[in-house]
Amino acid sequence: MDQNFRSELDRRLDLYEDPASDEGVLPPLPVGDIVISIVVLAVLSMALLGWCFL
Amino acid sequence: MSFHISRSAPEPGSTSDLPLLKKERIWSFGDFSAANIGLAIATWAFLQGGAVAYYVGAKEAVASIVIGYGISIIFVALAPCVPSARYGVEQFVSLRSSFGTSGSRVIMLVLSALLAAAWAAVLAIMCGHAFANVCNALLGTDLATDSLFVKLMGLSAVIVSWIILTQGPRSIETVNKFVSPGLVVVTLIMLVLVFTQIGWTELMELKPLAADFDKHMAFMIAIELNVAGGLAWWPNVGNLARLTRSSRAAYWPNMIGLFLASVLAAVVGAFAALALGSEDPTLWMIPLGGFVLGGLALLFVGFANITSIVAQGYAALVAVRGGAGSVGRRLPWPVLGALLFVPAVVLVFFPDVTYNNYGRFVSWGATALAPLCAVQFVDFFILRRQRLDLRAMYDNRPGSPYHFSGGFNVVAFVSAAAGALTYGLLLNPVDYIPAEAFRWLTASLPAMIVSGVLYWVLTKIITIPLGQGGFGAQAPATGEPESAGRGPGRL
C-alpha cells in the first residue's frame, strides 16, 4: 500500500468512525423493500405463466 | 450504457478503491436509474432477445424474460449493490467479507477480465456483421458471417474501443450521451416496425426459431438464458451503486433501469427475431425498415456495439485496476486496456464459433456468477445482517477478520465450487445439453441454493468456531467498527 493511499485511507476511516463527523455508513436497506420486490415479481410471474399456459 | 462518473471533477475516492465521502456520492435515485437504463438498452439486449426467440414463441418469450431477469436482477441489485453503497466501497472491497482480502481480488480480476474480453469479442463481431450486411445490401456483395471482412471489422471495433477507452471516462460519457438515447429510439422504432409488418395475433402464433424443441424444456432454457443474462450485470453494478446516496437509491434503480429497460429491449429483440425468422439482430434492420431507414439503423447499431464494448471495458478496467492493488495503480490506463482486449483480438478471428454460441457464453458466465452472487447474498444479508467492519476490509494482516486463511475464505470458495458443479450437472455449458431435472429446476437457481445453503452451514460449523470472518464482532449500524483503532494493513 503506497503512503499517499494509506494516509488518505486512514483519514477516511477515521471520519467514518467519528460520531461527530457528517460521514458514515448509509442506513441498511429495509427488509420491507426486499419483500415488496419479491412479492411483486412472484405475482407478476404467476400472471404471466397463467397468460402463457392456461 | 452511460457512465456519469466524470460529471463533476474526479474526487480521490470516486476513482480509487477508497471508501467514498458524502460529497463524492454524486448519484441520486434518478441519476442511477438513468445510468442503469443506458446500461440495459445496449446491443446485447437484442442478442438476448434473439437467443430467447430461438427456443420459445412470443408469449413464452415475454414470460421467460420477465421471470428470468426478475429473479437474477433482484439478486444482482442486492448482493453487490447494497454493501458497496452502504459502505461507499468498490465491489471487490465489499467482497472481502465473504471471499477474503486476497480471494476477492482474484475473483474480481479473473471474472472482470474474462467477461469483458468475451463481451468485447461478441459485440465486435456483431459490429462486423452489421457492416457486412450494410455492404451486402448497398453493394450487392455476398460477405459471409465468417469472412475476412467481418474479422477485420471486428478487429477494428476492438481497436477503436481501446482508443476511446484510453481517453478516460469523460470521452465515454460524451459518446454515450448520443448512443444511449439513440438506442432507445432504435428500440422503439423496431417495435413499431415489427407491428407494421405483423399483427399481435399473428405474432403470438409464430413458432420459435427451433420449432422442433420439447416445449417444456425450451421454456426452461429460455428462463435460464434470462437468469444468466441478468447475472451478467454482477461484475459491474456494485461499483456504480457505490456512487449513490442511500441504500434505496442503490437498490430500486436496478429494478427500474436494469430490469424494465432490459425487459423492454429483449422483448423487442425476441419479437423482431420471431417476425423475421433470424436470431441475428444485424439481419433485422433492413427487412424491417427498408434500405434507407433500416440501413441507417444498422449502421447505428454497428457503432453502438463499440460504445457497449467501451462501457463494459471501462467497468472491467476499474475493477481490474483496483483488484490488482498497487501494481494495477502503477500501470498506465492504456496498457491495462490493451491487456484487457488481447483475448478479444484473438476471438474476433473466430467469428462464427464466438457469435453463434451466445447461449453457451452466458451459461459459462452464470456457472461462476450464480454461486458467487448467492455466497455474497448469504454473507451480507443473512449472516451479517447488512453489517460489515469497514476497517477490516482494508486490513490484510494475518489475524484480521477478513484475512481468513492466507487471505482466502476457503469455505466461500468450496461453496461456490459446489454451486458451479451443480450448474454443470444440470446444464453442461460445453454442449448446452440439459439434464432431465433441468426441466423442473433450471441450472442457475439450484446452483445459487446449493452455494448459499452450503456457505451458511460451513460458516456456522467451521468459520465461526475458528474465530474467522469477524462474525462474532459485527460493526454496529452506525458505522463504528468494533475494531476501530487498528491501522489498515498492506492492501
Side-chain angles (χ1 to χ4, degrees):
Chain A
M1 188 186 291
D2 61 66
Q3 197 52 48
N4 288 343
F5 182 83
R6 173 180 288 223
S7 30
E8 180 59 21
L9 175 59
D10 272 333
R11 186 180 79 81
R12 287 170 184 246
L13 292 176
D14 290 342
L15 278 172
Y16 263 72
E17 291 165 6
D18 179 3
S21 156
D22 210 18
E23 304 295 339
V25 178
L26 298 180
L29 180 71
V31 176
D33 287 38
I34 304 172
V35 173
I36 288 169
S37 36
I38 291 170
V39 169
V40 169
L41 178 65
V43 170
L44 191 59
S45 300
M46 295 308 291
L48 283 169
L49 288 174
W51 176 57
C52 277
F53 298 111
L54 294 181
Chain B
M1 181 180 199
S2 59
F3 284 95
H4 302 285
I5 291 168
S6 60
R7 170 192 292 179
S8 55
E11 296 287 344
S14 64
T15 52
S16 76
D17 44 337
L18 293 164
L20 292 185
L21 301 178
K22 216 171 193 173
K23 63 179 177 180
E24 294 163 348
R25 293 176 179 271
I26 56 174
W27 276 352
S28 64
F29 192 103
D31 291 332
F32 191 33
S33 299
N36 273 339
I37 290 170
L39 189 70
I41 303 269
T43 47
W44 43 58
F46 297 147
L47 281 172
Q48 184 77 20
V52 169
Y54 184 79
Y55 293 101
V56 291
K59 272 188 181 179
E60 294 88 347
V62 174
S64 65
I65 288 168
V66 171
I67 295 169
Y69 269 147
I71 292 169
S72 52
I73 289 177
I74 282 180
F75 275 99
V76 161
L78 287 171
C81 288
V82 178
S84 287
R86 192 154 136 69
Y87 290 88
V89 294
E90 283 205 359
Q91 191 168 329
F92 86 95
V93 175
S94 67
L95 203 60
R96 287 171 180 165
S97 70
S98 45
F99 285 89
T101 44
S102 302
S104 69
R105 278 182 193 282
V106 173
I107 286 173
M108 287 309 288
L109 271 174
V110 171
L111 275 181
S112 297
L114 280 181
L115 288 171
W119 275 115
V122 169
L123 295 171
I125 294 164
M126 188 176 166
C127 179
H129 278 203
F131 288 113
N133 288 332
V134 170
C135 267
N136 287 343
L138 181 67
L139 307 172
T141 53
D142 189 23
L143 297 166
T145 54
D146 62 346
S147 62
L148 183 63
F149 180 86
V150 170
K151 293 172 186 175
L152 291 179
M153 288 309 295
L155 179 64
S156 306
V158 175
I159 292 170
V160 171
S161 303
W162 174 74
I163 291 169
I164 297 173
L165 200 58
T166 58
Q167 307 304 308
R170 194 171 293 277
S171 67
I172 298 168
E173 186 178 351
T174 306
V175 172
N176 279 315
K177 265 182 187 164
F178 299 99
V179 172
S180 289
L183 275 172
V184 174
V185 172
V186 168
T187 305
L188 295 176
I189 289 175
M190 275 175 59
L191 186 62
V192 171
L193 289 175
V194 166
F195 284 110
T196 58
Q197 299 223 343
I198 189 168
W200 175 259
T201 313
E202 201 183 341
L203 180 68
M204 292 300 121
E205 284 167 2
L206 285 175
K207 300 278 182 214
L209 304 181
D212 54 345
F213 235 90
D214 169 348
K215 271 188 82 172
H216 183 177
M217 193 62 101
F219 182 68
M220 296 306 274
I221 291 178
I223 296 251
E224 175 58 38
L225 264 173
N226 291 302
V227 173
L231 288 171
W233 301 121
W234 183 87
N236 302 336
V237 287
N239 291 344
L240 303 180
R242 174 192 185 217
L243 298 167
T244 57
R245 297 181 194 130
S246 73
S247 297
R248 278 190 161 139
Y251 177 68
W252 286 106
N254 290 291
M255 310 311 291
I256 295 165
L258 276 192
F259 176 68
L260 291 180
S262 296
V263 164
L264 172 70
V267 165
V268 171
F271 285 178
L274 288 166
L276 296 164
S278 168
E279 58 184 312
D280 182 354
T282 64
L283 293 174
W284 303 339
M285 313 290 173
I286 292 175
L288 271 179
F291 181 73
V292 177
L293 182 61
L296 285 173
L298 188 51
L299 279 176
F300 183 79
V301 166
F303 283 116
N305 278 298
I306 292 174
T307 59
S308 298
I309 296 169
V310 171
Q312 175 84 8
Y314 176 76
L317 266 185
V318 171
V320 167
R321 192 180 57 169
S326 54
V327 177
R329 283 193 287 272
R330 275 198 293 269
L331 269 179
W333 185 259
V335 175
L336 264 181
L339 290 173
L340 189 75
F341 284 148
V342 166
V345 167
V346 176
L347 286 172
V348 293
F349 284 94
F350 303 93
D352 277 357
V353 176
T354 307
Y355 193 71
N356 297 340
N357 286 295
Y358 177 81
R360 286 177 191 171
F361 161 54
V362 290
S363 183
W364 273 110
T367 308
L369 296 174
L372 285 178
C373 209
V375 167
Q376 195 179 16
F377 175 81
V378 170
D379 184 80
F380 184 72
F381 284 95
I382 297 176
L383 290 167
R384 301 185 191 274
R385 300 189 182 278
Q386 299 193 50
R387 291 179 185 183
L388 299 175
D389 182 339
L390 181 60
R391 195 171 282 272
M393 285 192 244
Y394 292 93
D395 188 351
N396 193 29
R397 292 172 298 188
S400 71
Y402 303 152
H403 185 263
F404 295 96
S405 305
F408 292 83
N409 182 8
V410 178
V411 159
F413 279 92
V414 167
S415 306
L421 181 65
T422 305
Y423 191 106
L425 291 173
L426 288 164
L427 179 64
N428 186 335
V430 177
D431 55 20
Y432 213 63
I433 295 175
E436 192 52 29
F438 178 92
R439 76 169 59 240
W440 304 107
L441 300 172
T442 73
S444 287
L445 300 183
M448 291 176 91
I449 291 168
V450 166
S451 292
V453 171
L454 193 60
Y455 181 70
W456 186 85
V457 170
L458 293 180
T459 299
K460 291 282 185 189
I461 63 173
I462 296 175
T463 312
I464 293 175
L466 283 175
Q468 294 181 340
F471 287 99
Q474 294 302 320
T478 54
E480 295 174 43
E482 292 185 0
S483 55
R486 285 198 316 262
R490 50 178 191 282
L491 278 177

